[in-house]
Amino acid sequence: MPQPRTHRDTAANRPGSPPAAGGPPRAHAIRAAALELFTQRGYAATTMADIGAAVGVRGPSLYKHVSSKQALLAQIMTGTMDALLAAHRTAVAGTEDPTERLRRATEAHVRYHARHRLEAFVGNREIRSLEEPHRTAVLARRDAYEKAFRELVEAGIAAGRFHVASARLASYAILDLGMGVAVWYREDGELTEDQIVYQYGDFALLLVGAG
Amino acid sequence: MPQPRTHRDTAANRPGSPPAAGGPPRAHAIRAAALELFTQRGYAATTMADIGAAVGVRGPSLYKHVSSKQALLAQIMTGTMDALLAAHRTAVAGTEDPTERLRRATEAHVRYHARHRLEAFVGNREIRSLEEPHRTAVLARRDAYEKAFRELVEAGIAAGRFHVASARLASYAILDLGMGVAVWYREDGELTEDQIVYQYGDFALLLVGAG
DNA sequence: AAGTTCGGCTAGTACATGTTAGCGGGATCG
DNA sequence: CGATCCCGCTAACATGTACTAGCCGAACTT
C-alpha cells in the first residue's frame, strides 16, 4: 500500500518563483524534462509518469500544464526547426561571398547542434513519432533548410569558387556532419564548442573544394 | 466477430520452398520484415502483430520461429556490427599506405551503409532499445570500430601524410558521413552507390588533409 | 473571512501489447 | 494407415499507459 501523500513544496512549486520568459515556469520545466527523456529513451519509450517523476510530480498532474504527450513533442520539434532556420538566415545575411556564406552557415549549423544537442537530436530522430499535421509541417521546414544549404553550394559552383561533382552530395555531407555532432558532443568533452565549430567550418570548405 | 480462418497457402508456407542459407526461410522472412518495420516506425512502436502481418501471419504465430521481439532486435544489431567490422578488416588488409588504407576503409564504410541501409539505420538508432547483455556487447563492437578509424587517421598524421588538428574530430566526421548515407540513400535515387562511395572516399581524404 | 484559483493527488477507464496455452489441420515418416 | 511434427490459429493473461474524473489543501483576492 502506498503511503498517504501530501503536497510537495519544491522550489518550482512556490508561486513566488522567478517568472521565466516563454510561458509559465512549470510548463518550461516539463518540456525540458521531456526533452531529456525523449533523447535518452525515445518518445515511444518515455511515459508521462517518467516525465512527471523528473519534475517531482505524478504523471496525471502534468495535464494541468500540457495538453498531451504528443503536444510536448510537437512543441519541441517545431521550436527546434524554427530556431535552426532563424540561425541559418542570420548567418548568411551578412555577406554575398559564396565561400564566406557557406562557412558561416556551416558554423551556425554545427554550433546549433552542439549547443542545443538534445533538441537537435530529438528533432532528427523523432520525426516518425510526430503525428499529422505536425509531421508535414516539420518535414517542410527540414526540406527548406536542406534546400538552402544545397543552393549555397550551387551558388559557389556557379561562381566558379567551388569544385565538387555533386552539390546534393556535398550539402548532404555537410548537414550530416552537424547532425553527428548532436550525437556525440558533450560539454565536458575534450573538444570545445568553438574548436568543433571552426574545424567543421574548414571541413565544409574542403569538401566543396573551395580555395 | 472475425470470420473463421483456415490455413493460408503462401509461397513461404510450402515446405517445398527453396531452402535458403542462414536458417529456416520463414525465420529469415520474419527478420527481414522486422528490420523494415523497425526502420520505419522504430522498435518500440513496432508490434509483433505488425511484423506478423508483414509476413502474412498473426502475431502469436511468430513465436514458432523466434523467441522474442527483443531477440529479433539483438540478432539484427549484433549481425550488423559483425558484418561492418568484417568489411573494415577486409578493406584495410591489402595495403600499408595510410592514405590508401583510409580511402578503402571509408569506401567500405559508406558502401555498407548504402547497401545495407536498413541494418545500418537500425543499428545506429536502436541501441537504446537493446537490453543487456546485448547492448554492452554491441557498444563494445561500436567502440572498436570507431577506434579503428581513429587509429587510421592517427597513423597518417604520424607518418606526416595527413594534416588535421584533431584525429578524433576527423574520424568522427568520416564516420558520421557514412551514417548519414544510411538515412537518405535510396536505390532509385539520382546518385548510384558507386558515385557516392567514390565521392565520399575523396571527401575523407580531403578532411584529413591528405594529398 | 469567504471565495476562487492553482495545482497537486488517487482512482479509474479504455485500450494496447508481449507472450503463453492449447487446439487443430495438413504433410511427412515409419 | 497411424503417429508425429510443423506451424498456423484463437483465447487469455499480465502488464503498461495515455488520459479523465473528481477530490482537496494552500495561497491569493476582495
Side-chain angles (χ1 to χ4, degrees):
Chain A
M1 271 304 154
Q3 309 169 11
R5 284 187 164 258
T6 60
H7 281 186
R8 248 80 47 97
D9 183 30
T10 63
N13 224 350
R14 276 189 290 275
S17 296
R26 203 65 198 249
H28 187 265
I30 292 169
R31 272 200 297 277
L35 177 58
E36 190 134 345
L37 287 164
F38 290 167
T39 304
Q40 286 167 14
R41 311 181 186 181
Y43 176 78
T46 299
T47 73
M48 291 302 272
D50 291 337
I51 300 170
V55 296
V57 139
R58 303 281 175 163
S61 300
L62 297 175
Y63 289 87
K64 300 283 171 150
H65 305 278
V66 301
S67 61
S68 70
K69 184 184 168 188
Q70 177 68 207
L72 226 26
L73 180 64
Q75 282 176 23
I76 290 171
M77 306 255 311
T78 58
T80 296
M81 279 314 302
D82 286 345
L84 197 53
L85 276 165
H88 177 81
R89 276 193 281 265
T90 303
V92 300
T95 174
E96 291 302 316
D97 179 67
T99 303
E100 200 49 32
R101 279 165 72 89
L102 182 62
R103 181 200 295 280
R104 290 186 193 176
T106 302
E107 287 183 359
H109 177 68
V110 171
R111 195 178 292 281
Y112 186 89
H113 281 73
R115 197 170 293 180
H116 301 101
R117 50 174 283 265
L118 301 188
E119 287 93 331
F121 188 90
V122 171
N124 277 323
R125 275 167 131 98
E126 298 292 355
I127 295 179
R128 60 192 177 190
S129 304
L130 255 195
E131 295 164 10
E132 296 299 352
H134 293 297
R135 183 166 56 213
T136 300
V138 168
L139 281 176
R141 279 176 250 212
R142 245 172 80 99
D143 286 349
Y145 187 67
E146 201 174 290
K147 185 153 169 277
F149 257 91
R150 192 161 58 245
E151 287 172 352
L152 237 38
V153 176
E154 283 164 353
I157 294 174
R161 302 282 299 278
F162 299 165
H163 307 87
V164 69
S166 165
R168 178 179 296 273
L169 207 51
S171 58
Y172 280 177
I174 294 169
L175 289 171
D176 286 341
L177 286 186
M179 294 176 191
V181 171
V183 177
W184 53 257
Y185 178 73
R186 295 295 119 92
E187 285 185 26
D188 57 357
E190 66 181 58
L191 293 156
T192 69
E193 180 185 309
D194 278 341
Q195 283 179 313
I196 296 166
V197 165
Y198 296 143
Q199 182 70 75
Y200 270 38
D202 290 344
F203 282 169
L205 298 187
L206 286 170
L207 287 189
V208 298
Chain B
M1 269 306 152
Q3 310 168 8
R5 284 188 163 257
T6 58
H7 282 186
R8 250 81 45 98
D9 183 28
T10 64
N13 224 349
R14 275 190 292 274
S17 296
R26 202 65 197 248
H28 187 265
I30 292 170
R31 272 200 297 277
L35 178 58
E36 191 134 345
L37 288 164
F38 290 168
T39 303
Q40 286 168 13
R41 310 181 187 182
Y43 176 78
T46 299
T47 73
M48 292 301 274
D50 291 337
I51 301 170
V55 297
V57 138
R58 303 281 176 163
S61 301
L62 297 174
Y63 288 86
K64 300 285 172 162
H65 304 279
V66 303
S67 60
S68 72
K69 185 185 169 189
Q70 178 69 208
L72 227 28
L73 180 64
Q75 282 175 22
I76 289 171
M77 306 256 310
T78 58
T80 296
M81 279 314 303
D82 286 345
L84 197 54
L85 276 165
H88 178 81
R89 276 193 280 266
T90 304
V92 299
T95 174
E96 291 302 316
D97 179 68
T99 303
E100 200 49 33
R101 279 165 73 88
L102 182 62
R103 181 199 294 279
R104 290 185 191 176
T106 303
E107 288 183 0
H109 177 67
V110 171
R111 194 177 293 281
Y112 185 89
H113 281 74
R115 196 170 294 180
H116 304 281
R117 50 173 281 267
L118 301 188
E119 286 93 331
F121 188 90
V122 172
N124 276 324
R125 273 167 134 96
E126 297 293 357
I127 294 179
R128 59 192 177 190
S129 303
L130 253 195
E131 295 165 10
E132 295 298 353
H134 292 298
R135 181 165 59 214
T136 300
V138 167
L139 281 177
R141 278 176 252 211
R142 244 171 82 98
D143 286 348
Y145 187 67
E146 202 174 290
K147 186 154 170 275
F149 258 90
R150 193 161 59 244
E151 287 174 351
L152 237 39
V153 176
E154 283 164 354
I157 294 172
R161 303 282 299 277
F162 299 165
H163 306 90
V164 69
S166 166
R168 178 178 297 273
L169 207 51
S171 58
Y172 280 175
I174 295 169
L175 289 171
D176 286 341
L177 286 186
M179 294 175 191
V181 171
V183 176
W184 52 258
Y185 178 73
R186 293 295 119 93
E187 283 184 27
D188 56 358
E190 65 181 57
L191 294 157
T192 68
E193 179 185 309
D194 278 341
Q195 283 178 313
I196 296 165
V197 165
Y198 296 143
Q199 182 70 76
Y200 270 39
D202 289 345
F203 283 169
L205 298 186
L206 285 169
L207 286 189
V208 299

